[in-house]
Amino acid sequence: MKRSLFGKRFKIVLGAGIIVAMCLLAALAPYLAPYDPLQQDLLRRLKPPFFMAGGTAKNLLGTDNYGRDLLSRLIFGTQTSIMVGTASMALSCILGAIAGLIAGYKGGRIEQLIMRFADAHMAFPDVLFAIIMAAAFGGSTFNLILVLGISGWMIYARLVFGLVRSLKHRSFVEAAVSYGGGDRYVMSRHLLPQIVPILTVVATLQVAQMILQEAALSFLGLGLPPPAPTWGNILAEGRDRMFGAPWIANCAGIAIILIVFGINMFGNGLREYLDPQAKQR
Amino acid sequence: MTPATDHELSPVLRKQDAPLLRVENLSVAFHTRNGLVRAIEEVSFEVPAGKVLGIVGESGSGKSVTALSLLRLIPSEIAEISSGSVWFGGRDLTRLSERELRRIRGREIAMIFQEPMTSLNPIASVGAQLREPMQLHLGMKAAEASRRVEELLDLVGIPQPRKRMTQYPHELSGGMRQRVMIAMALSCEPKLLIADEPTTALDVTTQAQILDLLRSLQSRLGLSIILITHDLGVVAQFADNVQVMYAGRAIEQAAVAEIFRQPAHPYTEGLLKIVADLEAECGRLSSIEGTVPAPHELPPGCAFAPRCPRSDTACTASPPPLSPISPGRRCACVRPVGFPQFRASA
């Protein structure tokens, strides 16, 4: 048992451990965070973490420019990251899978329309799209999810399109049509279930991408507006004081690295676990 | 250009004694890089209720295309029905909408395919797949459909149906899977079954069992069957009428007994000679010289003329029409074998 835990499925166990810990942090943020993440205390600004000279146990990871507790802000930042990451992944996965299914199964003109649109979208910079959205609708969690979700659909569309193209000529799909299955029936009952394992792996890895993107957009000031405790915002605030108070940017950076690492571990582990060829090794 | 059909009346007027399925001058063309290529040309036949029609031909003769075209199962971007009609139950299937056609597929006309190994969804249980046509067409609830699945599996001779229902396709042998496919095809009690080389992918003993099963089901349920095969032995055992196809055309139509007694088309004669040689077990096997011409390089006259031992100048002028040579029998040949009194006016 011990061998299997740290052998074959080591990546899944490690990744899942990190993800579960992060999710717990996000869910229990109001109880775990020692302070209100927005509460300023200008007398205690730029305090270093407890392990650095001048740090105290009062603010374990120190404070930022306005004297807000960094640990509390990081814990609350987990909420935004995980929520935005998973919600935008789900949105782009649903959009992309539907587009890919239809394009791959119907073929012809519909395929051309959808896939050429995907190609065009690939060439369109996400950041530009985010700027337009932020300028038009302002920064909110919902808009952020919309921007990230819409800018990620092509990956799924291309993946699903390719898989469906090869699946639709399999006899069992043709047989389903021959006994009266309609398009929607064949796509949902016969094609989609075949794709789900691969889609799961890609979607998992994509959450990490989305979290990175969210941090990048917040860092650029295109995500949630400043007082909101997101990792990207903390990173952006820390940038100005990279030398005076390096812990601000570093803490946010480490948090991002940790969750991305955990998700990638889990995703890769899952891929190896689900891939029948990899099992023989 | 049209072969004379014996039915000039409209299908509505002839309803009482109309055959279950009547195909008239069906032509199907494939879209290729070199433009449209005719895969089948002016094929006409009918299937009376409760009878078995065997369609025989080599690979590429258009027999499978014919079968798939009846239910319009070839996607329109690959091929199109360029002319002709398929009359079934007073309606022309070539003119129905996709939605109307879906109600006929599986419900009134069902198909069995060549590849039982891949015709079942690998990740759904046998029971779940067998339920699907009934849930789609008859609006059955899962529990009701499950009971019927059990009966169906029993009907096609699968022991322990209850256990088999929960199994997945990879747990069944090829013969078992083909039985499952047959059960699925019969689940909505169709009137017509199209079997596209149902035994080709199976080993010989299983082939015989599946054919026996089909034959007993056919007589028990009063099914009509279109049996597509390249195996004349299967036709001899099983079919009532035969249509021989060559290079996309029907070249001979007759009752089974007739065609084995006296083939009329030189191609049919050639095919039968090969079978006869196999049975006689002597010396070299005879063969028909050459190969089937590709659809885009058909000769101007009879497509079989370049390989035909009886061909003369009359054969290369234009393709001979499928004409009646004796009651209930038609042949597309200028000089049919064994019918010296007949000379087609080609």
Side-chain angles (χ1 to χ4, degrees):
Chain A
M1 192 61 220
K2 199 170 182 185
R3 242 185 97 206
S4 78
L5 192 68
F6 290 104
K8 253 184 185 166
R9 276 173 252 164
F10 172 69
K11 285 181 179 176
I12 295 184
V13 173
L14 179 67
I18 294 174
I19 294 169
V20 167
M22 289 285 190
C23 287
L24 279 177
L25 272 183
L28 302 174
Y31 307 102
L32 291 176
Y35 298 98
D36 179 348
L38 298 177
Q39 184 200 326
Q40 300 185 2
D41 185 354
L42 292 176
L43 291 174
R44 293 185 51 78
R45 34 192 303 263
L46 298 176
K47 291 281 176 217
F50 72 95
F51 49 82
M52 283 173 75
T56 61
K58 214 175 159 209
N59 301 101
L60 282 178
L61 292 178
T63 58
D64 68 4
N65 199 21
Y66 301 96
R68 295 173 296 203
D69 181 49
L70 205 57
L71 181 62
S72 306
R73 284 180 70 72
L74 279 177
I75 290 173
F76 273 92
T78 320
Q79 282 184 333
T80 323
S81 286
I82 288 175
M83 195 177 72
V84 171
T86 46
S88 52
M89 175 278 286
L91 179 64
S92 58
C93 185
I94 291 166
L95 285 178
I98 291 173
L101 263 176
I102 293 173
Y105 184 65
K106 296 289 264 184
R109 227 171 259 169
I110 297 171
E111 170 199 321
Q112 290 299 322
L113 195 74
I114 293 175
M115 296 319 289
R116 293 303 77 77
F117 183 63
D119 289 345
H121 196 165
M122 284 241 186
F124 192 82
D126 295 344
V127 174
L128 187 60
F129 181 57
I131 293 173
I132 295 170
M133 283 293 282
F137 303 108
S140 74
T141 314
F142 181 72
N143 286 352
L144 203 57
I145 290 168
L146 212 59
V147 167
L148 290 173
I150 289 173
S151 57
W153 70 280
M154 307 84 75
I155 295 163
Y156 299 96
R158 299 208 132 260
L159 175 79
V160 171
F161 172 72
L163 291 170
V164 168
R165 278 264 290 223
S166 67
L167 279 173
K168 80 167 172 179
H169 295 297
R170 299 267 296 271
S171 306
F172 68 87
V173 177
E174 287 171 354
V177 175
S178 85
Y179 64 63
D183 290 347
R184 224 183 317 157
Y185 165 80
V186 173
M187 284 193 264
S188 64
R189 295 294 296 273
H190 288 279
L191 293 174
L192 194 60
Q194 311 274 333
I195 296 166
V196 163
I198 300 170
L199 210 55
T200 313
V201 171
V202 175
T204 311
L205 294 171
Q206 204 62 19
V207 173
Q209 284 300 310
M210 289 299 181
I211 287 175
L212 276 178
Q213 289 234 12
E214 183 270 331
L217 288 181
S218 291
F219 180 76
L220 293 172
L222 298 168
L224 299 184
T230 74
W231 293 348
N233 282 347
I234 299 169
L235 205 59
E237 286 154 15
R239 182 187 47 180
D240 302 334
R241 307 191 176 271
M242 198 61 207
F243 298 104
W247 58 87
I248 304 176
N250 282 340
C251 282
I254 288 168
I256 294 168
I257 289 171
L258 197 62
I259 195 160
V260 170
F261 172 77
I263 293 169
N264 282 339
M265 269 299 190
F266 183 70
N268 278 322
L270 205 61
R271 192 187 61 204
E272 283 164 21
Y273 184 67
L274 292 174
D275 182 0
Q277 263 129 40
K279 254 182 205 164
Q280 293 156 6
R281 270 185 263 137
Chain B
M1 86 191 191
T2 310
T5 37
D6 329 34
H7 313 286
E8 299 298 345
L9 292 168
S10 87
V12 184
L13 287 174
R14 302 185 27 91
K15 205 159 190 178
Q16 285 84 9
D17 57 333
L20 182 67
L21 178 88
R22 197 164 88 235
V23 176
E24 283 173 353
N25 305 328
L26 187 70
S27 298
V28 174
F30 276 73
H31 302 284
T32 67
R33 233 173 278 167
N34 309 321
L36 285 179
V37 168
R38 290 283 183 100
I40 58 171
E41 187 122 19
E42 303 286 349
V43 171
S44 302
F45 59 88
E46 49 190 51
V47 185
K51 296 283 180 186
V52 179
L53 171 71
I55 299 184
V56 195
E58 289 173 69
S59 318
S61 60
K63 53 194 196 305
S64 284
V65 174
T66 309
L68 292 171
S69 304
L70 299 182
L71 284 171
R72 298 217 313 256
L73 284 171
I74 308 175
S76 56
E77 73 260 22
I78 298 174
E80 65 180 42
I81 295 174
S82 39
S83 71
S85 39
V86 177
W87 292 101
F88 179 83
R91 290 194 285 180
D92 182 357
L93 300 189
T94 61
R95 292 204 179 79
L96 291 187
S97 71
E98 187 66 22
R99 178 184 289 264
E100 289 170 308
L101 203 57
R102 277 208 293 272
R103 258 180 251 139
I104 290 177
R105 289 179 189 152
R107 175 78 186 86
E108 297 188 56
I109 303 180
M111 278 199 80
I112 308 172
F113 291 95
Q114 185 176 349
E115 292 287 338
M117 306 313 265
T118 54
S119 295
L120 289 165
N121 188 337
I123 58 170
S125 71
V126 168
Q129 294 189 61
L130 278 165
R131 282 198 297 270
E132 282 176 359
M134 290 184 277
Q135 288 171 315
L136 271 174
H137 290 295
L138 310 176
M140 277 192 190
K141 295 275 174 296
E144 191 188 359
S146 288
R147 273 196 298 280
R148 176 109 172 91
V149 166
E150 222 177 305
E151 290 169 25
L152 283 166
L153 287 178
D154 194 48
L155 181 75
V156 297
I158 291 182
Q160 297 174 283
R162 209 165 267 218
K163 182 180 153 217
R164 292 295 180 187
M165 274 166 71
T166 60
Q167 290 186 326
Y168 285 82
H170 71 269
E171 298 172 82
L172 305 183
S173 67
M176 281 285 185
R177 285 189 226 186
Q178 196 59 297
R179 283 172 196 263
V180 170
M181 292 309 293
I182 293 170
M184 196 192 279
L186 297 178
S187 60
C188 298
E189 295 171 344
K191 296 192 187 86
L192 176 66
L193 186 67
I194 302 174
D196 189 357
E197 309 216 20
T199 57
T200 308
L202 305 172
D203 63 58
V204 181
T205 45
T206 321
Q207 277 186 10
Q209 290 168 5
I210 294 291
L211 282 175
D212 279 346
L213 171 68
L214 275 176
R215 194 163 35 188
S216 77
L217 289 172
Q218 189 266 332
S219 57
R220 223 183 323 163
L221 307 173
L223 271 174
S224 300
I225 298 182
I226 297 178
L227 179 74
I228 315 258
T229 179
H230 56 250
D231 188 342
L232 281 166
V234 170
V235 167
Q237 286 178 45
F238 193 17
D240 297 302
N241 297 301
V242 193
Q243 160 166 299
V244 183
M245 290 190 71
Y246 185 81
R249 284 171 180 274
I251 55 161
E252 181 161 5
Q253 292 172 338
V256 162
E258 288 283 303
I259 214 162
F260 281 92
R261 192 179 53 78
Q262 177 57 64
H265 198 283
Y267 175 65
T268 318
E269 190 193 30
L271 287 180
L272 286 173
K273 205 186 267 174
I274 296 168
V275 178
D277 280 4
L278 284 173
E279 277 162 6
E281 307 177 43
C282 60
R284 280 178 65 86
L285 301 174
S286 64
S287 64
I288 306 174
E289 291 292 313
T291 52
V292 186
H296 55 87
E297 49 195 28
L298 289 179
C302 172
F304 186 61
R307 301 169 74 185
C308 181
R310 297 163 66 93
S311 69
D312 59 21
T313 47
C315 299
T316 52
S318 68
L322 191 65
S323 343
I325 51 170
S326 72
R329 183 151 194 199
R330 290 188 281 175
C331 177
C333 185
V334 181
R335 309 169 56 200
V337 188
F339 291 84
Q341 74 283 10
F342 175 79
R343 293 290 287 189
S345 50

